[in-house]
């Protein structure tokens, strides 16, 4: 048991070093000349975080020199630089209670090209690696170039839209012309066909047919009524003839009787 306890006592400091504070930063940040850029740095500690326990240090290493230059310092309150190239340009933008130790550089010039080192310590958790960011300051694109690019893209889009409109209009005209030719050829074929009459002739024939049908229907309705009238007239004539015959017979009887007397 004693050898195990001794071995554990030797390994505990190593485990404490391994479980030190962890810092996270982007590898490379690119920004335009004269603009603002945020250097983001977050951390994670195995001990509780408080305003009094955490300290933050930002340093700068130029491209042509190996000497680090102080950029920013934080301990309970921010301490911006009072001298050097970062005076009036480095601003605190982090939040310790949210494990954020970021800063913002205002109006960065090309001389800000280099490596920025973020170091965070949370007592008693003071072990761990630092975060490093490589900042690249590029020339700012002029407004004239942006305008020319926008004009070029807009002009190309306008030309494409105009061409598409012309193509669609031509296709529509061709479709209408083709439909008109087909309809005209069909009409010409109908006019050349002797068995097919023209529209006005068809209308005339339709009107004549309707008239004939109307006349024939009137005749059919009038025929039964005329027959009844003739029968009535014939019956009346027969009745008249019978009456005349009866009267004649009576006269003859009278004559005969008178002669007898």
């Amino acid at each position: 048991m004693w050898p195990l306890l001794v071995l554990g006592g030797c390994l505990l400091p190593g485990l404490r070093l391994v479980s030190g504070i962890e810092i996270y930063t982007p590898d490379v940040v690119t920004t335009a000349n004269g603009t603002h850029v945020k250097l983001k740095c977050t951390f994670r500690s195995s001990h509780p975080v408080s305003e009094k326990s955490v300290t933050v240090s930002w340093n700068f290493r130029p491209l042509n020199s190996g000497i680090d230059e102080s950029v920013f310092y934080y301990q309970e309150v921010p301490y911006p630089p009072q001298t050097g190239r970062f005076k009036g340009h480095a601003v605190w933008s982090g939040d310790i209670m949210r494990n954020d130790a970021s800063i913002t550089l205002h109006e960065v010039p090309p001389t800000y090209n280099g490596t920025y080192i973020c170091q965070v310590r949370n007592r008693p958790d003071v072990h761990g690696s630092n975060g490093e960011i490589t900042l690249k300051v590029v020339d700012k694109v002029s407004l004239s170039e942006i305008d020319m690019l926008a004009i070029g893209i807009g002009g190309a889009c306008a030309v494409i839209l105009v061409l598409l409109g012309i193509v669609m209009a031509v296709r529509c005209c061709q479709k209408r012309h083709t439909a008109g030719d087909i309809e005209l050829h069909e009409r010409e074929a109908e006019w050349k066909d002797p068995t097919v009459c023209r529209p006005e002739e068809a209308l005339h024939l339709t009107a004549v047919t309707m008239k004939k049908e109307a006349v024939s229907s009137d005749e059919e309705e009038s025929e039964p009524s005329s027959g009844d009238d003739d029968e009535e007239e014939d019956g009346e004539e027969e009745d008249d003839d019978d009456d005349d015959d009866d009267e004649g017979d009576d006269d003859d009887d009278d004559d005969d009787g008178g002669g007898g007397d």
Side-chain angles (χ1 to χ4, degrees):
M1 292 297 294
W2 285 108
L4 293 176
L5 292 175
V6 172
L7 182 61
C10 294
L11 292 176
L12 284 176
L15 292 173
R16 184 177 180 180
L17 290 174
V18 171
S19 62
I21 191 167
E22 297 179 1
I23 300 175
Y24 307 95
T25 57
D27 294 332
V28 180
V29 175
T30 303
T31 186
N33 182 17
T35 60
H36 303 344
V37 59
K38 183 178 181 179
L39 302 180
K40 190 172 181 61
C41 177
T42 59
F43 63 93
R44 185 175 65 180
S45 177
S46 59
H47 292 274
V49 175
S50 65
E51 294 285 348
K52 295 181 179 181
S53 64
V54 175
T55 60
V56 179
S57 298
W58 279 90
N59 297 320
F60 171 67
R61 185 182 302 137
L63 295 176
N64 301 325
S65 176
I67 301 174
D68 292 350
E69 181 178 347
S70 178
V71 178
F72 203 91
Y73 184 76
Y74 180 93
Q75 186 176 7
E76 295 187 17
V77 292
Y79 292 95
Q82 300 299 320
T83 59
R85 74 179 75 189
F86 296 101
K87 180 181 178 181
H89 292 274
V91 179
W92 177 255
S93 58
D95 187 352
I96 294 300
M97 301 309 297
R98 295 184 178 180
N99 297 346
D100 189 356
S102 304
I103 62 172
T104 301
L105 300 178
H106 289 181
E107 299 177 356
V108 294
T111 57
Y112 282 16
N113 280 312
T115 302
Y116 292 81
I117 303 166
C118 177
Q119 184 182 30
V120 182
R121 298 292 180 261
N122 181 32
R123 292 188 303 268
D125 191 4
V126 294
H127 302 283
S129 60
N130 300 326
E132 295 185 358
I133 302 173
T134 300
L135 179 63
K136 295 182 179 180
V137 181
V138 298
D139 292 335
K140 187 177 180 180
V141 180
S142 62
L143 294 177
S144 60
E145 293 178 356
I146 294 176
D147 293 339
M148 292 178 63
L149 181 62
I151 292 172
I153 296 174
C157 293
V159 170
I160 292 173
L161 291 176
V162 170
L163 293 176
L164 289 175
I166 293 173
V167 171
M168 294 299 294
V170 170
R171 288 184 177 179
C172 290
C173 292
Q174 289 179 351
K175 288 181 179 179
R176 292 179 181 177
H177 184 69
T178 304
D181 291 342
I182 293 173
E183 185 177 358
L184 182 61
H185 290 323
E186 291 178 354
R187 290 182 178 179
E188 289 179 354
E190 290 179 356
W191 293 344
K192 291 180 181 179
D193 190 356
T195 61
V196 178
C197 60
R198 294 182 180 180
E200 55 270 15
E201 294 177 353
L203 293 174
H204 179 69
L205 292 174
T206 303
V208 172
T209 304
M210 292 175 65
K211 289 181 179 180
K212 288 183 177 180
E213 291 178 354
V215 171
S216 61
S217 61
D218 293 339
E219 290 178 354
E220 290 176 358
E221 291 178 357
S222 60
E223 283 178 359
S225 61
S226 61
D228 295 336
D229 293 338
D230 293 338
E231 290 178 358
E232 291 178 357
E233 290 177 358
D234 294 337
E236 290 178 356
E237 289 178 358
E238 290 178 358
D239 292 337
D240 292 338
D241 292 336
D242 293 336
D243 293 338
D244 292 336
D245 292 335
D246 293 336
E247 290 178 358
D249 293 334
D250 293 337
D251 291 336
D252 292 334
D253 292 334
D254 292 337
D255 293 334
D256 293 333
D261 293 335

